[in-house]
Amino acid sequence: MRDEESGNRLGSYLRARRELVSPAQAGLPPGGNRRVPGLRREEVALLAGISPDYYLRLERGRDTNPSPQVLESLARVLQLDDIERTYLLGLTAARPRAPRRKRPEHVPARLHELLAHLQIPAFVEGRAFDVLASNAMALALSPRLRPGENRLRSLFLDPEEQAFQRDWTKAAADFVAALRTTIGDDTDNPRFVELVGELALSSQPFRTLWARHDVRRLDGGTATVNHPVVGELRLHRDKLPVDDVILVVYYPDKDSDSDEKLRLLTALAQSGSAGAAHDGRTDAPHPKAP
């Protein structure tokens, strides 16, 4: 999290995003002998209607409180979507810092009861994708959904999880962008610092994705996974906030091939494999790097 630690989050974000916009995308001739990927600083300034010197001050952290109008112009030039634009507007010095969480993440008792009754894969995760509780079906879907695991860590460091994801590249990009969105300005949170530091040291793909400064929400969606027992499963995902944690559920289309396979998985989990399922009654501590 070097850019966050340096205090120049706005400049780091502007630099990362301009490197992702090609001259052609911005309506400029490609030209020759370009030494940088994407747009040059002076090109961004010209298209945004500000002076090159002022843009340079923004990117180098010499001016950390530009007007909303300037940021809106930069968002337009950098072709940011609504989530990215909101993130950019939140990077200025004028934004009040969110109150820090004083207590550890805790799974409410009613969520434990709900997990026990659900007949679809369901689990509870924290802000850093730590699995805090899970039901038997979640463990039948993936043993990496047991309490104490971290979903982002599994995605980048566990070969079984990488094989499990039908489109690992998209899943990895989505998770990293969602983590950056979740972190926001909570850059000194020890859990975030620990997780990002571990993955940055251990995974080149993570370092590459983290440097892009992508931001997006990872709420609803559809994922296709390769289950080692029942084969390919196409599952919808919903994430429901409950107090300070997130309830995540996976479910197939009714009467689909994946629905039939999930019912088979349920039967297997309730028979010989049931003993391996975690009952989800204990909150798990945040995992530590080995």
Side-chain angles (χ1 to χ4, degrees):
M1 302 177 73
R2 182 177 58 186
D3 54 320
E4 287 84 356
E5 292 169 357
S6 71
N8 186 22
R9 297 172 61 229
L10 174 62
S12 297
Y13 188 65
L14 290 173
R15 182 172 60 253
R17 300 318 296 179
R18 73 174 170 84
E19 290 178 352
L20 296 175
V21 180
S22 69
Q25 289 173 316
L28 298 173
N33 195 30
R34 299 185 69 90
R35 295 181 299 171
V36 296
L39 297 177
R40 300 186 178 101
R41 293 189 183 96
E42 57 269 24
E43 291 171 334
V44 175
L46 173 67
L47 294 169
I50 60 178
S51 72
D53 179 66
Y54 181 56
Y55 179 78
L56 181 63
R57 295 205 308 272
L58 290 176
E59 201 166 283
R60 291 186 174 176
R62 297 173 185 167
D63 188 323
T64 59
N65 193 22
S67 69
Q69 292 81 7
V70 167
L71 292 177
E72 291 283 2
S73 295
L74 290 171
R76 172 180 52 80
V77 173
L78 299 175
Q79 303 181 14
L80 305 184
D81 62 24
D82 289 344
I83 296 175
E84 294 164 340
R85 171 183 159 277
T86 300
Y87 183 82
L88 173 64
L89 292 170
L91 290 176
T92 61
R95 184 189 185 196
R97 291 178 66 86
R100 297 294 177 241
R101 296 171 183 267
K102 302 299 183 182
R103 57 189 178 87
E105 294 169 322
H106 173 73
V107 182
R110 67 185 187 279
L111 277 190
H112 286 298
E113 296 298 327
L114 178 59
L115 288 175
H117 284 84
L118 288 175
Q119 295 301 306
I120 55 175
F123 59 96
V124 178
E125 69 179 16
R127 297 174 69 214
F129 297 111
D130 294 310
V131 180
L132 305 177
S134 54
N135 67 2
M137 279 305 302
L139 291 180
L141 179 65
S142 169
R144 295 167 296 282
L145 293 178
R146 67 169 57 90
E149 296 287 333
N150 178 272
R151 300 182 67 206
L152 199 67
R153 190 179 188 278
S154 296
L155 193 62
F156 282 94
L157 303 183
D158 191 324
E160 291 186 3
E161 179 65 20
Q162 293 165 7
F164 183 72
Q165 296 290 335
R166 175 70 177 273
D167 190 347
W168 180 88
T169 300
K170 182 179 185 303
D174 286 346
F175 267 78
V176 173
L179 178 66
R180 190 176 279 281
T181 304
T182 299
I183 289 176
D185 65 353
D186 196 9
T187 56
D188 58 355
N189 183 297
R191 179 58 186 143
F192 291 142
V193 172
E194 174 191 43
L195 179 62
V196 173
E198 178 192 4
L199 293 176
L201 288 173
S202 306
S203 172
Q204 177 61 54
F206 177 84
R207 292 194 295 272
T208 299
L209 289 169
W210 188 253
R212 288 174 55 93
H213 285 250
D214 289 334
V215 290
R216 67 186 65 123
R217 287 189 292 268
L218 189 60
D219 298 326
T222 302
T224 301
V225 298
N226 300 310
H227 193 276
V229 176
V230 298
E232 184 177 289
L233 288 166
R234 183 176 183 272
L235 302 172
H236 303 299
R237 176 191 65 242
D238 277 318
K239 303 184 74 168
L240 310 171
V242 181
D243 295 343
D244 291 336
V245 296
I246 305 292
L247 172 66
V248 186
V249 294
Y250 282 90
Y251 55 95
D253 288 325
K254 186 173 176 57
D255 298 326
S256 65
D257 181 61
S258 293
D259 190 14
E260 181 178 346
K261 290 178 179 179
L262 197 61
R263 287 197 297 269
L264 173 59
L265 204 55
T266 301
L268 292 173
Q270 292 173 345
S271 58
S273 303
H278 194 284
D279 64 7
R281 295 295 305 180
T282 303
D283 290 353
H286 289 159
K288 301 295 183 181

